[in-house]
Amino acid sequence: MNKPDMRSYLEQIKPYVPGKPVEEVEREFGLTNVIKLASNENSLGPSPIAVKAMQEKIDKMHIYPDGNSFYLRQALAEKLKLNPGQFIFGNGSDEILSFIALAYFSPGDEAVTVSPSFSEYDFAARLVGAVPRPVPLRGENFLYDVEAMLSQVNDKTKAVFICSPNNPTGSVIGRAELDYLVKKLPEKVLIVLDQAYIEYVEDPDHNDGFGYLNEGFPVVILRTFSKIYGLAGLRIGYGIAPVEIVADINRVREPFNVNAMAQAAALAAVGDDQHVIRSREMVASARKQIDKGLAELGLKAVPDQANFFFVNTGVDSKLLFQEMLKRGVIIRTGDIFGFPEYIRVTYGTESENKRFLEVLKASLVELS
Amino acid sequence: MNKPDMRSYLEQIKPYVPGKPVEEVEREFGLTNVIKLASNENSLGPSPIAVKAMQEKIDKMHIYPDGNSFYLRQALAEKLKLNPGQFIFGNGSDEILSFIALAYFSPGDEAVTVSPSFSEYDFAARLVGAVPRPVPLRGENFLYDVEAMLSQVNDKTKAVFICSPNNPTGSVIGRAELDYLVKKLPEKVLIVLDQAYIEYVEDPDHNDGFGYLNEGFPVVILRTFSKIYGLAGLRIGYGIAPVEIVADINRVREPFNVNAMAQAAALAAVGDDQHVIRSREMVASARKQIDKGLAELGLKAVPDQANFFFVNTGVDSKLLFQEMLKRGVIIRTGDIFGFPEYIRVTYGTESENKRFLEVLKASLVELS
């Protein structure tokens, strides 16, 4: 048909193939009580205080959101002891990845990433015709290889994306390694630290990166309310960066990008430390339960610092996915990350983990 | 500081200067009961059925949204008698403007717009370094000048943006004029029909543009739940286009761009025709009330087909804004649209309109 030509570099983006809503899966397979451990959501749900804040907001949804996220910005600045001007809010933290690409990347520019990792770094780069340069993680524990990352940096490199804890492996970059990387990078290369899962980290050798802000490094720290805060459905995340970088990336932000319900819920969630503690405890005990259950099946997950685990099942994960789906448990296959025999699974409640382990066992038997 | 260089064409985008939340204005001026008639929101609020749908969704906000807006897509396709594949959903319809720019525009490309109109067409073009070519609307009734628009089309033109009813003037493009324009345009030029206010149109000489879809024209129709549906706070709008165009612009969409609360509320709102009828009736009677009140002050608004009006006050609208703000009524100044003595005001409930007229009168007296 007659239409403008799409920008040719967008052909590198794989079109999103939508999954079906859980309700549709239940209908199709004649199931009830399907559980989804595929998206690293918090099985405890939103904070009860956030739930109350949402209830109070419902009848005001005809009013446009505050384009400046004024109250949330104040609350976070106070909590994290930062300047309110160092924050930028996104429709999920993935939107901020696109802002970075739109503000700084040109076609042919490069971004260093790792593999396997979260797909949105590639998406953001490809969105404007830039090219991701993925560096494999090292060994069976999927550790960062900072020398290999530095070797991929050249004159075209505009940014390095570091996801820690890393999705899908759950592995983290150590303090000394991150320091080495940050200090060796050419001074105009942006360092993006995606900390979507940082609230789950127990390892004391993890760096929140706030120090780099004060030292003048071009760092953008990304955080989200989708994970431990249990607000994935509302889409809200934020970036923390020096004010000069915030000013640049704020230019490409549409004024009402963060909805009013999300702002209200996030503001309440920031004040509910108890929910964060409960969620962290749930994951810590889930990890023990899962480790034990996997060991009984002769499996061992990659050591993680997140609310999910990555495990080599020894079978084709797409077949395993189908077997588990038929039994009402949805997990994430590893093929999309380049590891076709791995699965990525979210830690759930005790009963969810139990069901997962039973269904995994039955499915592996079926496939053997 | 050390940071990557921002893409130079972004300097053409005016950084967004956030307004303060109404609560902050009330605190600052020591006011209570401030009314905002500045953003073309629906004073009747969300549909009661949508409110109920939101209540039922609150405790599921830890789950990611359906990336395909499956149920809403089905409902709209059925209601509008279109193919589900002809829809694309956005975090507000303004996000779809950015998708269009990202999919089709390159630096130096051009987009024909009108002036005054909604600022987001310019924003979307500038976001990727394209250049808006605004064509003035004609005469005191701000009518479309299709010959002048066609004269701005050249080899670099990628799209024409038509907002009808037009924001901020409320004027519409007639059926014959739109037909003439669509058929005279070079065949690869995209025609974007922004119908954010179409539910308020009473003029039978208005074209919904659906016919162009079947005739193979490269049309994108934009609609929103922010206006008559009273869901501005949740951010949800949609585009309707031929499937080939949907496929292109869907490539630049992040999968979870539309939040789950918005999808639930919009789905319910689509089924509540009574709320739409009530809202339309409120505006029709508000228009009579305002026309009469303005006439008593010697003023006359531009004839409109929307839920707002644009009126020449004969005084500096920024001074008028301040006077009205002090008295607790927020309106939109015309200077941002290039008409410094005009104001744009949303039709409200009878009591809001009464208050607006009283405050306008007192403020004009103060300024005379």
Side-chain angles (χ1 to χ4, degrees):
Chain A
M1 71 165 293
N2 294 324
K3 65 173 185 64
D5 298 324
M6 188 181 73
R7 295 201 67 172
S8 56
Y9 54 63
L10 296 176
E11 282 161 20
Q12 302 296 320
I13 298 180
K14 280 190 291 188
Y16 173 69
V17 181
K20 287 175 188 158
V22 168
E23 298 89 327
E24 283 300 302
V25 172
E26 291 184 338
R27 194 178 305 171
E28 193 170 315
F29 286 84
L31 296 165
T32 51
N33 194 26
V34 167
I35 63 170
K36 183 171 149 234
L37 299 172
S39 303
N40 303 343
E41 294 148 344
N42 184 346
S43 285
L44 296 185
S47 136
I49 301 178
V51 165
K52 189 154 175 293
M54 286 187 256
Q55 277 159 349
E56 286 166 7
K57 265 288 181 185
I58 282 181
D59 60 0
K60 300 197 182 70
M61 282 302 112
H62 58 303
I63 308 292
Y64 275 89
D66 168 16
N68 198 29
S69 299
F70 183 89
Y71 296 109
L72 178 59
R73 180 186 298 272
Q74 301 298 325
L76 282 170
E78 193 169 320
K79 187 181 177 99
L80 301 175
K81 304 190 194 333
L82 293 166
N83 168 350
Q86 290 176 307
F87 289 84
I88 182 164
F89 294 88
N91 183 37
S93 58
D94 47 355
E95 192 185 30
I96 299 170
L97 294 169
S98 297
F99 294 163
I100 290 169
L102 284 163
Y104 294 123
F105 299 178
S106 298
D109 281 348
E110 296 187 3
V112 175
T113 61
V114 298
S115 174
S117 194
F118 185 42
S119 61
E120 292 296 301
Y121 315 129
D122 284 22
F123 173 85
R126 300 282 190 200
L127 185 65
V128 293
V131 181
R133 293 284 172 218
V135 176
L137 294 172
R138 283 185 295 124
E140 61 181 7
N141 287 348
F142 293 93
L143 301 177
Y144 275 82
D145 186 343
V146 290
E147 287 296 355
M149 292 173 77
L150 286 167
S151 76
Q152 288 297 309
V153 173
N154 61 43
D155 288 353
K156 294 180 185 169
T157 308
K158 284 287 165 68
V160 176
F161 291 95
I162 297 159
C163 184
S164 181
N166 183 51
N167 174 5
T169 61
S171 48
V172 295
I173 189 167
R175 188 178 290 267
E177 287 170 295
L178 180 58
D179 247 20
Y180 182 81
L181 181 69
V182 166
K183 285 162 190 171
K184 281 270 185 181
L185 281 172
E187 57 186 25
K188 285 195 160 191
V189 174
L190 200 69
I191 304 142
V192 181
L193 301 175
D194 186 345
Q195 302 180 345
Y197 301 96
I198 197 169
E199 297 86 357
Y200 290 108
V201 173
E202 294 177 347
D203 186 347
D205 186 35
H206 197 264
N207 184 351
D208 66 16
F210 288 8
Y212 302 131
L213 291 174
N214 301 327
E215 292 164 36
F217 290 100
V219 168
V220 182
I221 294 164
L222 297 181
R223 294 193 169 184
T224 183
F225 287 95
S226 297
K227 304 302 177 184
I228 206 164
Y229 288 104
L231 299 174
L234 288 177
R235 318 303 302 124
I236 178 164
Y238 59 101
I240 307 169
V243 292
E244 295 87 345
I245 291 175
V246 168
D248 289 347
I249 60 185
N250 205 33
R251 246 175 228 263
V252 303
R253 182 178 72 86
E254 288 180 277
F256 303 120
N257 65 316
V258 179
N259 72 83
M261 190 67 87
Q263 290 185 38
L267 176 62
V270 166
D272 189 356
D273 291 336
Q274 287 309 310
H275 188 67
V276 170
I277 292 167
R278 274 195 303 274
S279 304
R280 219 185 267 146
E281 285 171 353
M282 180 191 76
V283 164
S285 84
R287 192 179 288 119
K288 285 181 198 154
Q289 184 186 1
I290 292 288
D291 279 353
K292 186 163 170 289
L294 290 179
E296 287 167 10
L297 300 172
L299 302 176
K300 189 177 183 312
V302 177
D304 73 80
Q305 296 279 321
N307 71 336
F308 58 85
F309 60 96
F310 198 49
V311 61
N312 187 345
T313 64
V315 300
D316 180 330
S317 66
K318 285 161 90 170
L319 297 179
L320 183 58
F321 173 87
Q322 286 299 333
E323 287 301 326
M324 295 187 72
L325 184 64
K326 280 192 252 170
R327 293 165 174 86
V329 176
I330 306 178
I331 48 91
R332 185 65 48 114
T333 59
D335 61 306
I336 54 172
F337 300 107
F339 289 81
E341 300 198 337
Y342 281 70
I343 56 175
R344 192 198 68 191
V345 186
T346 310
Y347 292 118
T349 61
E350 189 178 356
S351 66
E352 285 175 332
N353 300 330
K354 185 163 176 281
R355 175 122 175 257
F356 160 76
L357 288 165
E358 287 164 0
V359 163
L360 176 64
K361 184 175 179 179
S363 301
L364 287 172
V365 167
E366 184 76 26
L367 291 173
S368 70
Chain B
M1 70 164 294
N2 293 324
K3 65 172 185 66
D5 298 324
M6 187 181 73
R7 295 201 67 172
S8 56
Y9 54 63
L10 296 177
E11 282 160 19
Q12 302 296 320
I13 298 180
K14 280 190 290 187
Y16 173 69
V17 180
K20 287 175 189 158
V22 168
E23 298 89 328
E24 284 301 302
V25 172
E26 290 184 338
R27 194 178 306 171
E28 191 169 317
F29 287 84
L31 295 166
T32 51
N33 194 26
V34 166
I35 64 170
K36 184 171 148 233
L37 299 172
S39 303
N40 304 342
E41 294 149 344
N42 184 346
S43 286
L44 296 185
S47 136
I49 300 178
V51 165
K52 190 155 174 293
M54 286 187 255
Q55 278 159 348
E56 286 166 8
K57 265 288 182 184
I58 281 181
D59 60 1
K60 301 196 182 71
M61 282 302 112
H62 58 303
I63 309 292
Y64 276 89
D66 169 16
N68 199 28
S69 300
F70 182 89
Y71 295 110
L72 178 59
R73 180 185 297 272
Q74 300 298 324
L76 281 170
E78 192 170 320
K79 187 181 176 99
L80 301 176
K81 303 191 195 334
L82 294 166
N83 168 350
Q86 290 176 308
F87 290 84
I88 182 164
F89 294 88
N91 184 37
S93 58
D94 48 355
E95 192 186 29
I96 299 171
L97 295 169
S98 296
F99 293 163
I100 290 168
L102 284 163
Y104 294 123
F105 298 178
S106 298
D109 282 348
E110 297 187 3
V112 175
T113 62
V114 299
S115 175
S117 195
F118 186 42
S119 62
E120 292 295 302
Y121 314 129
D122 284 22
F123 173 85
R126 301 282 189 200
L127 185 65
V128 293
V131 182
R133 292 285 172 217
V135 175
L137 293 172
R138 282 186 295 124
E140 61 180 8
N141 288 348
F142 293 93
L143 301 177
Y144 275 81
D145 185 343
V146 290
E147 287 297 356
M149 292 173 77
L150 285 167
S151 75
Q152 288 297 309
V153 173
N154 60 44
D155 288 352
K156 294 181 186 169
T157 308
K158 284 286 165 69
V160 175
F161 291 95
I162 297 159
C163 184
S164 180
N166 183 52
N167 175 5
T169 59
S171 48
V172 295
I173 189 168
R175 188 178 291 267
E177 286 170 296
L178 180 58
D179 247 20
Y180 182 81
L181 181 69
V182 167
K183 285 162 190 173
K184 281 270 185 181
L185 281 172
E187 58 185 24
K188 285 194 160 192
V189 174
L190 200 70
I191 304 142
V192 181
L193 302 175
D194 186 346
Q195 302 180 345
Y197 300 97
I198 196 169
E199 297 86 357
Y200 290 108
V201 174
E202 295 177 347
D203 186 346
D205 186 35
H206 197 265
N207 184 350
D208 66 16
F210 287 9
Y212 302 132
L213 292 173
N214 301 328
E215 293 164 36
F217 289 100
V219 168
V220 181
I221 294 164
L222 297 180
R223 294 193 170 184
T224 184
F225 287 95
S226 297
K227 303 302 177 185
I228 207 164
Y229 288 104
L231 299 174
L234 288 177
R235 317 304 301 122
I236 178 165
Y238 59 100
I240 306 169
V243 292
E244 295 88 345
I245 291 174
V246 168
D248 289 346
I249 61 185
N250 205 34
R251 247 175 227 264
V252 303
R253 182 178 73 85
E254 288 181 276
F256 303 119
N257 65 317
V258 179
N259 72 83
M261 190 67 87
Q263 290 185 38
L267 177 61
V270 166
D272 189 357
D273 291 336
Q274 286 310 309
H275 189 67
V276 170
I277 291 168
R278 274 195 304 274
S279 304
R280 219 184 267 147
E281 285 172 353
M282 180 191 77
V283 165
S285 82
R287 192 178 287 119
K288 284 182 198 154
Q289 183 186 0
I290 292 289
D291 279 354
K292 186 162 170 288
L294 290 179
E296 287 168 10
L297 300 172
L299 302 177
K300 189 177 183 311
V302 177
D304 74 80
Q305 296 279 320
N307 71 336
F308 58 85
F309 60 96
F310 198 50
V311 60
N312 187 346
T313 64
V315 300
D316 180 331
S317 67
K318 286 160 90 169
L319 297 179
L320 182 59
F321 174 87
Q322 286 300 332
E323 287 302 324
M324 294 187 72
L325 183 64
K326 279 193 253 171
R327 293 166 174 85
V329 175
I330 306 178
I331 48 91
R332 184 64 49 114
T333 59
D335 60 307
I336 55 172
F337 300 107
F339 290 80
E341 300 199 337
Y342 280 69
I343 56 174
R344 192 198 67 190
V345 186
T346 310
Y347 292 118
T349 59
E350 189 177 356
S351 65
E352 286 174 333
N353 300 330
K354 185 163 176 281
R355 175 122 176 257
F356 160 77
L357 288 166
E358 286 164 0
V359 163
L360 176 63
K361 185 175 177 179
S363 301
L364 287 172
V365 168
E366 185 76 26
L367 291 173
S368 70

